[in-house]
Amino acid sequence: MIINIKYFGLLADITKKKEEQMVLDESNFSVAFLKSKMESAYQELQNTNYSVAVNQAMVGMDSKIKDQDVIAFLPPFAGG
């Protein structure tokens, strides 16, 4: 499975990347699993508030990720 991950704002600073492509052996996993995997790779994410979108839609942690999905890690939004 191949997924594309995009990082915005502070999260791009933490990862030092704007985007990356990941090849995963798992074929059926949730946003929570990916979040855990990313927080292991980038430990500073553990102490950061952020949301996750899949294919430009905000999703819950139990949402499933599929091959070729685009996942966005988004910092908190400010209103105005």
Side-chain angles (χ1 to χ4, degrees), residues 6-77:
K6 297 184 178 206
Y7 305 100
F8 294 89
L10 174 65
L11 306 173
D13 294 341
I14 290 171
T15 62
K16 297 182 178 26
K17 299 176 182 182
K18 290 194 176 201
E19 60 184 272
E20 68 180 308
Q21 190 172 73
M22 292 185 72
V23 178
L24 301 166
D25 293 333
E26 298 86 355
S27 61
N28 185 18
F29 63 95
S30 66
V31 170
F33 175 83
L34 179 62
K35 183 177 179 187
S36 174
K37 190 171 184 71
M38 299 312 292
E39 288 179 357
S40 292
Y42 304 105
Q43 292 187 353
E44 197 175 336
L45 289 177
Q46 295 174 9
N47 303 319
T48 306
N49 240 352
Y50 60 92
S51 300
V52 179
V54 177
N55 299 324
Q56 299 181 350
M58 300 304 291
V59 295
M61 289 296 120
D62 58 342
S63 295
K64 297 296 181 192
I65 295 175
K66 299 180 291 304
D67 188 40
Q68 299 298 319
D69 277 351
V70 176
I71 291 58
F73 283 70
L74 306 165
F77 300 105

